[in-house]
Amino acid sequence: MNEIKTQVLVIGAGPGGYSAAFRSADLGLDTVIVERYPTLGGVCLNVGCIPSKALLHVAKVVEEAKHIKNAGIFYEEPKIDIEKVAEYKNGVVKRLTTGLASMAKMRKVNHIQGYAKFLDENSVEVELTNGEKTKVIFENCIIAAGSQSSKMSFIPHEDPRIWDSTDALEVKEVPKKLLILGGGIIGLEMGTVYSTLGSQVDVAIRGEQLMTGTDLDIIKVYTKANQDRFNIMAKTQTQSIIPKKEGIYVEFKGENAPKDGVLYDAVLVALGRSANGNKLGLENTNVEVDEQGLIKVDSQLRTKASNIFAIGDIIGQPMLAHKAVHEGHVAAEVIAGHKVYFEPKQIPSIAYTFPEIASAGMSEIEAKKAGINYEVSSFPWSASGRALASDVASSGLTKLIFNKDTNQLIGGAIVGENAGELLGEISLALEMDCDAQDLALTIHAHPTLHESIGMAAEIFEGTITDFPNAKAVKRK
Ligand SMILES: Cc1cc2nc3c(=O)[nH]c(=O)nc-3n(C[C@H](O)[C@H](O)[C@H](O)COP(=O)(O)OP(=O)(O)OC[C@H]3O[C@@H](n4cnc5c(N)ncnc54)[C@H](O)[C@@H]3O)c2cc1C
């Protein structure tokens, strides 16, 4: 068997893996990256963050063209060429993955295409695409093998009309009637795309609200804005899914469930993602993996084997690309001898739905649970000149959560147009330990959507003049 020796081996070339490999190479370490697919970028670039955002961009333009009739501009119904839509999305992915390949080359990171399995704590066997095997002997290893869509035993996943997110992103067809199982971010983003392209979309959720864990005041704004887009079946359990010639027949039970079975043209299963930790031969090492495939690490991303690190989705929630990237940097720096730790003050999360939902730091649910003496300050976009001018005022809210004892910002959430872009200020404020005064006295440009953050802080401070001030001095 062919043998390669390296200082750092990275397994998996998603955002975590390629970032770790590039940082490691930039720190002067000999680096090899093993990825089973031909392109770098992992789930995020190939079948996740990027293709979904390309499709959401297309959907947004269609929606905006429809919406502008409120201002007296009328477009005809759009003609949709689904092949061209897919081509556009594939082009975006290709530009990014090609860019990554050339950056790997520039940094002299050796990319081996194949599937890696641990032989022991210093070597892996890589099965190459041609069936041959290569042994990679490493001083240090960073496992960044990611996650995959969860599968359920009662779902006939083998039927081509039963989709996971990767199938949905292929946009081969627009089903007339689409069922989405699960009310999380991935399902709702794909549902947004397909409903705009013409599907009638049912969303079945076990709980009472979409995006579990999101504060109710935020999710209410989203749900109201989407009442015509989705038929949301809350407190609904899926009882059986039977593929038939004429469609996928689904029976439900629960408070809001349809009494009779419903026939769908496609079903998107979006019930979460499972980590890939149990497929790597880690039983040949001391690395600890739990039943869900999650690898245990310390705050330097080190596993129980002192020269093996793990990052990204494979170590758990939140399963987000930017978390994986930062963990990748820390792991590579620890290997290079830096005294660094992964201890973020906040990890932002964004649903790129219509409207977007973005949050960072603590939610109100978490603040309550932690027993913090907190106060919420919310600025409704109906009072924002920019939101009104852009016709997005009815579905926007900026919410800040402050510690009442210290006035420090502990969390924030925004629902509304471009909420994801607006969130940056809240993330930085949390990282810099800003208090309400820091935000309220920062001069925000007018008219902007981001001034809603300054105004929410002014509400807490009692200095707001663009909105009724509940803390004003009372006069007779
Ligand atoms: C539809 C969708 C939309 C998403 N949108 C967003 C978003 O907008 N923002 C966001 O932050 N996150 C988003 N995510 C989540 C994001 O994609 C993941 O959090 C991120 O990709 C995790 O990065 P990672 O490096 O841990 O692993 P991954 O990206 O999963 O990469 C792991 C890589 O390892 C490879 N691999 C696995 N095992 C082996 C092995 N034994 N040998 C060789 N190679 C192996 C895999 O082929 C894969 O390429 C989305 C996910 C999906 C599915």
Side-chain angles (χ1 to χ4, degrees), residues 11-17 34-37 41-44 47-49 52-53 114-116 144-147 165 169 186 189 273 276 280 311-314 319-322 324 352:
I11 300 175
V34 178
E35 165 57 55
R36 67 180 140 170
Y37 294 124
V43 169
C44 180
V47 290
C49 329
S52 58
K53 269 71 246 179
Y115 195 85
S147 65
S165 56
L169 284 168
I186 293 176
E189 286 186 358
R273 296 185 62 81
N276 287 331
L280 298 167
I311 58 167
D313 283 9
I314 207 160
M319 289 190 178
L320 292 168
H322 39 279
Y352 297 82

Side-chain angles (χ1 to χ4, degrees), residues 27-40:
L27 288 164
L29 298 165
D30 227 19
T31 308
V32 169
I33 191 162
V34 178
E35 165 57 55
R36 67 180 140 170
Y37 294 124
T39 54
L40 304 182

Side-chain angles (χ1 to χ4, degrees), residues 146-297:
S147 65
Q148 58 172 17
S149 297
S150 299
K151 300 225 183 305
M152 304 287 154
S153 56
F154 76 98
I155 299 175
H157 291 278
E158 64 290 348
D159 191 291
R161 294 163 298 178
I162 306 239
W163 296 351
D164 62 14
S165 56
T166 303
D167 300 318
L169 284 168
E170 283 183 18
V171 279
K172 282 190 182 147
E173 55 175 309
V174 179
K176 248 189 166 159
K177 201 160 165 54
L178 171 68
L179 169 67
I180 298 179
L181 295 181
I185 294 180
I186 293 176
L188 292 177
E189 286 186 358
M190 293 319 303
T192 302
V193 170
Y194 276 95
S195 63
T196 303
L197 294 179
S199 297
Q200 200 187 320
V201 181
D202 286 357
V203 183
I205 52 172
R206 290 173 77 113
E208 277 180 52
Q209 70 163 71
L210 298 168
M211 294 190 219
T212 319
T214 307
D215 286 341
L216 201 58
D217 46 358
I218 295 290
I219 212 67
K220 265 188 181 163
V221 175
Y222 173 81
T223 309
K224 189 168 168 230
N226 280 279
Q227 59 196 8
D228 294 335
R229 180 182 294 280
F230 300 128
N231 170 33
I232 299 162
M233 303 190 286
K235 293 190 187 165
T236 297
Q237 268 171 284
T238 308
Q239 228 176 355
S240 64
I241 301 181
I242 304 159
K244 294 191 174 183
K245 204 170 148 230
E246 60 275 26
I248 305 282
Y249 183 74
V250 185
E251 288 173 308
F252 305 95
K253 68 171 181 194
E255 241 171 72
N256 306 309
K259 282 203 178 63
D260 300 323
V262 183
L263 206 58
Y264 291 97
D265 300 296
V267 175
L268 167 60
V269 182
L271 296 168
R273 296 185 62 81
S274 327
N276 287 331
N278 286 322
K279 301 175 187 159
L280 298 167
L282 285 166
E283 57 285 0
N284 299 326
T285 69
N286 249 334
V287 173
E288 212 180 315
V289 193
D290 72 12
E291 274 172 16
Q292 275 101 49
L294 293 166
I295 297 177
K296 293 237 163 76
V297 292

Side-chain angles (χ1 to χ4, degrees), residues 430-475:
L430 287 164
E431 195 57 46
M432 304 298 287
D433 290 331
C434 287
D435 63 17
Q437 201 177 42
D438 294 324
L439 287 165
L441 293 185
T442 298
I443 299 179
H444 292 79
H446 175 77
T448 57
L449 295 175
H450 73 249
E451 68 186 330
S452 67
I453 296 170
M455 288 182 186
E458 285 179 1
I459 290 175
F460 179 85
E461 285 288 278
T463 56
I464 185 86
T465 50
D466 278 275
F467 198 65
N469 186 356
K471 295 182 180 175
V473 176
K474 304 274 180 287
R475 280 178 295 145

